[in-house]
Structures are given as structure tokens and as C-alpha cells.
Amino acid sequence: IPQQPSAGGGYAIHPQAQALGISAATAQLQQQQLYALENPDVEQMMAYQQAQAAYLAQQAQYAEWVAQQHHLMAQQQQEAERERQAQVEAGLQQQQIGAHDVATTEQREASGGEMADPRQEDAVDAVPTPPPDAELKRNTSGGRYSVVSSAAFSAQPTVQAKGGRHIAQEGGIEEEEEDESSSENDYQEADEAMTPSEEEEADGIAYRRRKSDDGGGPYPSNVSELYEMQSAGAYHLASPDSKYEVYACRVDVTQGDRSTEISLFSAARPHMRGFHFSWSGFFCAFLAWFAIAPLLPEIQRTLHLSREQIWNSSICSVAAGVVFRVIAGPLSDKYGARWIMAIFLVAAGVPCMCTGFVNSAPGLSLLRTIIGIGGATFVPMQYWTSSMFTREVAGTANSLAAGWGNLGGGVTQILIGSILLPLFKVIYGETDPSEPAVKSWRTVCVVPGLMCCILAFCLIRYSDDCPKGNYRKRERLGLMPSVSAGKSLLAAFLDRNTWLLIIQYACCFGVELTMSNAAVLYFTKEFGQTIEQASAIASIFGWMNLFARGLGGFTSDMMNASKGMRGRLIFQSIALACQGGFVVIFGYTRSLGGAIVVMIIFSLFVQASEGSIYAVVPYVRPPVTGSVAGLVGAGGNFGGVVFSIIFRYYQDRPAFIIMGVIAAASALLSPLIVIQGQSVIFCNCADKARLGLQKARGTVLNRADSPNHADSFQDSEKDELNYEDDEENSPPKKTLNAAVDDSEMMMAEN
């Protein structure tokens, strides 16, 4: 890639060359990281540290280059503005002189005065003078202003580029005008003139301009407008290897352009668009997954099924998610969460629409097993949000997305059991009064199944795998290494913290799954409610997901900000213990009103526990977050299977008491969770993190001890934005030390 001439007389590296350099360093770092995970010996660890140092040095060079380019851009913008004003003033002066000369000539002819000196007349004729009605028109190529008459100078200026100079042909007279900026921007103009396919072939960088229909607002038309919009906070620059040039939210380039903020009322690509598609996909999957649950009393009467056969079908519904959640994690690591979620939505939606063909207990169990695949959409949902937001806000983002997705469990109770089923009974009662209930439960499940299929198409068409684009294209362009699904799953499987989180998640999400299957049956049997009434009451449990799980993740983030990982684990233990205690109380409650109140309280703690656990997941093994999320999510389904088996062999009230005791006991596992570089409940291991940071800095300083970089690394303790406050209001620039310290901190945390 050729170099780009700079304003200082030298040459600066082109942005796309910077992009390819950083992409190569990133790929090398990730490859060495995988090797280090597979072969944890001294040689591989040294290679990994060298790759880290190369990556940090490349990031530091790019940060310094970006700061220089911002400063040069501001200077060029100010120089162009001053030059434009000077041209306008010169044109006005020339216009006034021409008007004065014309007026003098007319007076001389009218008075019959003497002719001027011939030499002066020739000098005047040598440079054409514009008439009084001349107006200023901007030369679109050079940014200069030319004087164009409405009569004698009516011809539009024709501009030709010749060796960095513009020749304006006006009224048959050629006026040569030098454009200083053209000599500096020849490469940039040629680059902008390339079509997307040509640029992609030449540089290997996907090129795309944002449009208003992408949800992010109008794209800036030039660099100056881009800088003004960025200064105002409307857009934020992306990394050079990203599909996008700017983002609508603040991002952290050291964490793969992940967003540092959550704008709930925005649908801009890629961050917030991915967030909303992730939770809505899990929401629709939950609708299809538990659409049969409020219909079980009608199905039991129609097919003459026993209580054990009903619970067998519920166990099959939850058990299918165990297997598919395990494989969904590594598949998301390899192919991206977008395609995995779409496949699972279709796999659950199509059989959900076939519920009406069930005629036996084995058929019901088989059907619910296949529909249970939709429950595995939880894993790509969590992976998707983790890839869109930084770890500092991932707890809140993950818990909000999971909570709003789990809200489908409450909505399906009231939507299917209290709204659509009675509506279909009314419709079929007019046409066939003999069996309106049978035809209603056989056709009502078409609605959630169709919703799943429609949403699967939309999220494939209108969203992205990660902030920088789609996995398949980035792998083809060499911007990210290929990931082995088997090795990713093995690395997560061998981590002790993964298993501890699996058990704890089984004791909270397993409770939620069991309540989704048992609530309607429990309230109809114990308190004599109708299906419509019991469905409305049971939906309250799911409606707590609207805010409770998000509140759990947010509280975990706040505890992390004050006490680190120790704070997250303390809150997680409290939530699990309170959840189990209130489940036991629910089993002893004899009144309908008291049961509803206690159910609301323990539902709050159930959702908060789930949000807290998945706020810890991104820290366990960052390179294989998808596999960790899949295994932990599978633990939730496994807990649902265990608790459903308990309900199959015990009556409802003793089963609730046993489930509550097990859930409360899981809180005792939190002190055993020890994540490298993070504090634990009974020990604040900040010294370990500080030691890791010092080692990382020592590696980078050894890497950058050359004369060209010696001055750049002197003040490595400063981690803040430095601003220049000169009289020309130069733009803020991030220092080299700040970028290096950010990368060092991320590496030390990893």
C-alpha cells in the first residue's frame, strides 16, 4: 500500500495499512493464545507474551498516528477556512474594481473625454474584468471561489486536474489556479473514487458507508463534518478493520469496538440492533417453548393422560435444551450468534405450529423435545450481547437481554392461556359448538411458531455478528482467525469455575423452568382456579423478568465497581440464599393471596440470581466465552430436569420445599469461585492483579526500548485523555501512553 503525503512534508502510513498491521498482530495474538491454552508450557507462554507485546506496540503506534491525523485535520480545516475567506474578500475587491472601471469608461465615453494611455488599455485588456452583476461561484474540485458573470461570463467553469493544479476555463479565457490541498490529497481522492468491490480487492478491508435506513442517522458527507459530529457526540470512530467507519455509541477499541454504553431506545447498528434482536429472539423462542404449558389441562382431558405422562413431556421439553445449549456455545464462537439463533428459532417454530397433530403421550413428549431446541437460543443471546458490550457493562446488558427474553415465559401464560385460547374457543364455538376447546388448543400454537420464523429471517437480514461485521466475511478477509469449536468447548469444560457456575445456575434457572411448567397445574389443583385464571396468576412469575434480572445484573456491576469480583460473588450468594428460603415458604403457604405474594418475592430473587451469575461468565475464560455461556446455560436446563423429576415422584408442596432447600444450599459454592487476577469473597486479591499489570508493562517497555519509542513510554502511569488547549482549539487527542495503558490493563485482567 503506498504511503500518503503528510502536511509536514513527510509521508504518513495510510489508514488501511494501519488496519492490516493491527489485524495481523491481532490474529497472531489470538493464535498464540489458543496455542497457550492447548499447550501450557514455558515456550508457548513466552510466545504468547511476545505476541501480546507486538499487539500492544501496534495498537500504540496506531493510537499515536490517529492523534497526529486528528491534529493535522484540524489545522488543515482552519487553513482552508482562512484561505476561503481570503478568496471571498479578493473576489469582492476585484468585483468592486471592475465595477469602478466600467463606470469610469462609461463616463468617459459619455463626456467625450480623452482616451487613456494605450499601454494602460492593453494592460486592462490582458486581464478580463468582471461586470457589476458578477457573482461568486465555488469551484467544486479545488474548493476555491471564481468570479463568474451572469452575461459575458455566463459559461460555467470547467475544471481540469493537471499535475496538482486546476485550470478554470471561463468565457474562453484560461485562468490557472493552484490548489495546494490537491497535492496532499491525491491518494485520498483516488481512494474515495474506488468502488466498494475495487477497494475490497485492493486492501482486503470491507467498505461500507452508513445510510439513514441503517438506524444510525445520516452519514457525514466529508471528513470535516465527521469530525464535527464526532466532537458533538453523534458518532464515534471505529477501528480501521471494522465494517463500519463510525458508530452511534461510545466504544472501546481495546475490547474489539464493544460499546461502553447501553442506549435502550436506540436501534442503531451494530450494537443496539444486535441487543434488541438478541432478547427478542429469546423472547419468541420462550413463547414457542412454553406455549403448550398453559394448554396441558385441556390436552390431558382430551388425550386422557395421567399426571406422570404430563410431567414426562415437561421433562423432555427441558432436557432437549441441555444438549443443544452445550453445542450452541462453541458453534457461536465459530460461526457467530446470529446464524445459530436463527437456526434454533426455525427449529422450534416449525414443530410448534404442528402441535395440533398430537394424539398420544409419546407424540406429545417427542413434540415437546423438538420444540425444546428453542430453549438453546439463550446461549447465542448471551454470547451476542457479550460481544456487543464491554465487560464493565456486560452484566447489565446480559441480564436485561436475558430478563426480557425470559419474559416470554410470563407472556405465553397470559397470551396463550388467557387471551388466544378463549378467543379461539369463541371463534370455533360459532362454527362447531361440540368441541371448541379441542380445536382451539390444536390451532392456537400456530401464532408463536410463526413469530419465530419471521424473526429468524429479520435478524439474519438486518443485524451483524459483532461490532466489526460478520464472522464469515472477516475470516475470509483474514481479519480474524478461524476458531476450533471442539478446542473451545474443551477449554471451557476443564475450568473449575465453569462447573461451579453450572450448579448455581441449575438452582435458579431450573427453578424458573419448573415454575413455568408447574404453576398452572398447581393453582388449578390446590386453589381451584380455572385455566384462564391460573394462567393469569402464573404469568406474574414471568413478568418479573421485565426488570428483576436486569436489576440483578446492574447490582452486580455496581458491586464490581466498588469491591471488584468479591462484590459480585457476595451479591450472588445473598440472592441464591434468599431465593431458596422463599421457595420453601411458598411450599408452606395455604392461602391464594399469600401464595401470590410469596411467588412474586422469590421470583425477584430467582431472576436477580440469574443476572448475577451471567455477569460473572465473561470473566471465566474470555477467549471462549461462548462455550462457557453454553455450558452454564445447559446447567440451567439440567436443573429444570432434576426438579421436574422431583415433582414427578412427589406431591407439589413437598417438592417445592425440597427445591427451595437445594437452591439455598447452592449459595455455599460462591466462596469456591476463584478467577485468575480477580478477588474472592474471603480475600481481596488486588495485589495479584497489580503484579500482573506490572509484568505486562515490563514486557511492553522491553518491547519499546528503541530510540523511536523511548520518549513515548516515559509516563506509563497516566491513564487519561490529554487535551491541547491552544488558541486554535485543536481537537482532543488520546496520548500514546493512555492507549498503551488501556491495552495493558485489559491484558492484565485477562
Side-chain angles (χ1 to χ4, degrees):
I1 300 178
Q3 291 180 323
Q4 180 179 0
S6 64
Y11 285 85
I13 301 177
H14 191 265
Q16 294 165 348
Q18 290 280 353
L20 293 180
I22 292 179
S23 301
T26 305
Q28 183 181 6
L29 172 63
Q30 295 177 349
Q31 191 68 28
Q32 290 294 341
Q33 194 170 17
L34 291 177
Y35 289 158
L37 289 174
E38 298 167 6
N39 305 304
D41 54 9
V42 177
E43 182 179 356
Q44 291 296 338
M45 292 304 297
M46 292 179 62
Y48 176 48
Q49 291 178 359
Q50 292 177 359
Q52 284 180 323
Y55 173 74
L56 292 176
Q58 193 71 26
Q59 286 278 13
Q61 293 178 5
Y62 177 69
E64 185 178 24
W65 181 86
V66 169
Q68 292 175 355
Q69 292 301 312
H70 281 184
H71 187 63
L72 290 176
M73 183 174 63
Q75 290 181 345
Q76 293 174 2
Q77 183 180 3
Q78 293 167 358
E79 291 176 0
E81 184 65 22
R82 287 196 295 267
E83 187 178 356
R84 184 187 66 81
Q85 294 177 357
Q87 290 292 331
V88 172
E89 293 176 357
L92 292 175
Q93 290 178 0
Q94 188 177 5
Q95 180 180 358
Q96 293 175 358
I97 294 173
H100 176 72
D101 292 342
V102 171
T104 304
T105 302
E106 291 178 353
Q107 291 177 0
R108 191 177 298 145
E109 292 177 354
S111 60
E114 296 181 357
M115 293 296 294
D117 186 55
R119 289 173 296 179
Q120 297 179 357
E121 185 175 355
D122 294 337
V124 172
D125 293 337
V127 180
T129 303
D133 58 348
E135 59 182 2
L136 291 176
K137 288 197 174 181
R138 188 166 185 175
N139 188 334
T140 57
S141 296
R144 303 300 184 89
Y145 283 83
S146 304
V147 181
V148 183
S149 171
S150 60
F153 289 74
S154 59
Q156 294 290 334
T158 303
V159 182
Q160 300 174 351
K162 293 185 178 181
R165 302 172 70 86
H166 293 287
I167 298 178
Q169 298 179 355
E170 301 178 353
I173 300 176
E174 291 189 358
E175 181 179 354
E176 191 168 355
E177 179 183 46
E178 183 178 0
D179 183 10
E180 299 174 358
S181 62
S182 63
S183 61
E184 300 175 0
N185 297 329
D186 287 341
Y187 186 89
Q188 182 178 358
E189 292 175 0
D191 191 19
E192 292 177 353
M194 299 172 69
T195 63
S197 59
E198 292 172 344
E199 184 171 358
E200 187 172 341
E201 280 184 354
D203 303 319
I205 302 296
Y207 180 87
R208 190 179 188 279
R209 287 193 176 275
R210 295 273 302 275
K211 294 183 174 64
S212 58
D213 57 2
D214 287 332
Y219 188 84
S221 59
N222 52 54
V223 177
S224 300
E225 184 179 349
L226 169 61
Y227 176 72
E228 292 175 0
M229 299 177 75
Q230 183 193 4
S231 301
Y235 285 99
H236 305 273
L237 291 176
S239 295
D241 62 335
S242 173
K243 169 184 177 180
Y244 297 93
E245 297 178 358
V246 292
Y247 299 122
C249 55
R250 295 180 179 86
V251 298
D252 185 353
V253 295
T254 65
Q255 297 192 40
D257 283 3
R258 288 177 170 85
S259 175
T260 61
E261 58 186 6
I262 305 174
S263 303
L264 294 179
F265 298 102
S266 171
R269 295 180 75 167
H271 300 91
M272 295 312 302
R273 182 79 60 87
F275 172 81
H276 289 301
F277 269 127
S278 66
W279 74 260
S280 59
F282 188 45
F283 177 88
C284 288
F286 229 107
L287 283 180
W289 191 9
F290 289 101
I292 297 179
L295 305 177
L296 287 177
E298 290 289 351
I299 296 175
Q300 184 177 13
R301 282 194 292 267
T302 303
L303 303 181
H304 307 289
L305 304 179
S306 64
R307 181 177 182 274
E308 289 75 15
Q309 290 174 325
I310 291 295
W311 275 107
N312 286 339
S313 70
S314 298
I315 293 172
C316 292
S317 173
V318 178
V322 176
V323 178
F324 284 95
R325 285 194 179 200
V326 171
I327 66 175
L331 289 178
S332 298
D333 282 329
K334 183 172 181 61
Y335 300 106
R338 189 171 54 107
W339 277 99
I340 305 304
M341 176 170 284
I343 292 173
F344 285 171
L345 282 174
V346 174
V350 173
C352 182
M353 291 187 285
C354 300
T355 302
F357 298 105
V358 173
N359 290 309
S360 63
L364 178 63
S365 298
L366 177 61
L367 179 71
R368 298 196 70 185
T369 301
I370 300 174
I371 297 176
I373 297 175
T377 55
F378 172 79
V379 177
M381 179 268 297
Q382 291 287 281
Y383 184 87
W384 208 351
T385 51
S386 297
S387 65
M388 290 294 177
F389 298 95
T390 60
R391 287 184 299 164
E392 289 75 15
V393 298
T396 304
N398 285 342
S399 57
L400 281 174
W404 293 354
N406 285 351
L407 183 62
V411 173
T412 192
Q413 299 283 354
I414 193 169
L415 176 66
I416 302 296
S418 300
I419 298 178
L420 293 181
L421 183 62
L423 179 62
F424 276 55
K425 285 181 179 179
V426 172
I427 295 175
Y428 286 116
E430 296 178 354
T431 58
D432 187 6
S434 60
E435 294 182 343
V438 175
K439 291 187 176 180
S440 297
W441 73 258
R442 289 187 181 276
T443 56
V444 71
C445 290
V446 172
V447 176
L450 190 61
M451 291 173 60
C452 289
C453 296
I454 294 175
L455 185 65
F457 170 79
C458 292
L459 65 87
I460 287 293
R461 179 67 178 83
Y462 301 108
S463 61
D464 305 280
D465 291 332
C466 67
K468 294 184 178 182
N470 296 326
Y471 281 12
R472 184 173 59 179
K473 189 169 187 178
R474 290 178 59 77
E475 287 184 6
R476 187 172 69 249
L477 295 174
L479 298 178
M480 63 177 293
S482 179
V483 178
S484 172
K487 294 178 181 179
S488 171
L489 180 61
L490 181 62
F493 184 83
L494 297 178
D495 194 295
R496 183 188 66 174
N497 297 314
T498 303
W499 286 98
L500 294 174
L501 293 176
I502 286 174
I503 298 173
Q504 289 189 326
Y505 196 68
C507 293
C508 55
F509 189 66
V511 172
E512 181 175 358
L513 293 179
T514 306
M515 281 296 297
S516 298
N517 284 318
V520 175
L521 294 172
Y522 180 73
F523 282 105
T524 54
K525 177 182 176 182
E526 295 293 333
F527 300 103
Q529 302 295 302
T530 64
I531 294 179
E532 291 79 9
Q533 293 171 340
S535 298
I537 296 172
S539 69
I540 300 175
F541 184 90
W543 278 101
M544 294 296 103
N545 281 289
L546 186 62
F547 66 92
R549 185 158 182 164
L551 182 62
F554 177 76
T555 306
S556 180
D557 286 343
M558 294 300 99
M559 295 290 287
N560 177 69
S562 60
K563 297 181 180 298
M565 181 59 65
R566 183 167 175 251
R568 290 189 187 273
L569 297 177
I570 290 174
F571 172 72
Q572 185 169 306
S573 301
I574 295 173
L576 286 168
C578 293
Q579 163 204 317
F582 279 100
V583 171
V584 173
I585 296 174
F586 180 78
Y588 281 109
T589 305
R590 302 297 180 180
S591 64
L592 177 61
I596 294 174
V597 172
V598 175
M599 183 184 69
I600 293 174
I601 296 175
F602 88 73
S603 176
L604 292 174
F605 286 108
V606 167
Q607 323 302 344
S609 301
E610 296 167 358
S612 176
I613 290 173
Y614 264 87
V616 179
V617 165
Y619 291 87
V620 176
R621 274 190 177 267
V624 291
T625 300
S627 296
V628 177
L631 289 172
V632 175
N637 279 51
F638 179 76
V641 172
V642 173
F643 294 143
S644 296
I645 293 175
I646 294 174
F647 273 80
R648 185 183 186 279
Y649 291 101
Y650 289 88
Q651 294 300 317
D652 292 341
R653 293 187 184 277
F656 275 116
I657 295 172
I658 296 173
M659 184 171 66
V661 171
I662 296 175
S666 66
L668 300 176
L669 299 177
S670 295
L672 303 178
I673 298 176
V674 180
I675 299 175
Q676 185 177 5
Q678 304 292 335
S679 57
V680 297
I681 289 184
F682 299 116
C683 176
N684 190 355
C685 303
D687 293 337
K688 293 183 180 180
R690 188 179 299 109
L691 179 61
L693 177 60
Q694 291 174 354
K695 290 181 179 179
R697 282 181 172 167
T699 303
V700 176
L701 289 174
N702 292 333
R703 176 77 178 178
D705 56 0
S706 62
N708 294 332
H709 294 88
D711 297 335
S712 301
F713 287 86
Q714 287 179 353
D715 300 325
S716 61
E717 294 297 329
K718 298 179 181 179
D719 187 12
E720 58 184 5
L721 291 175
N722 294 337
Y723 295 90
E724 271 191 354
D725 296 325
D726 54 1
E727 71 254 7
E728 295 183 353
N729 296 323
S730 61
K733 61 180 182 179
K734 193 169 186 178
T735 62
L736 174 63
N737 297 324
V740 172
D741 284 349
D742 288 345
S743 300
E744 290 173 359
M745 183 63 71
M746 179 187 66
M747 183 175 67
E749 290 177 353
N750 289 342

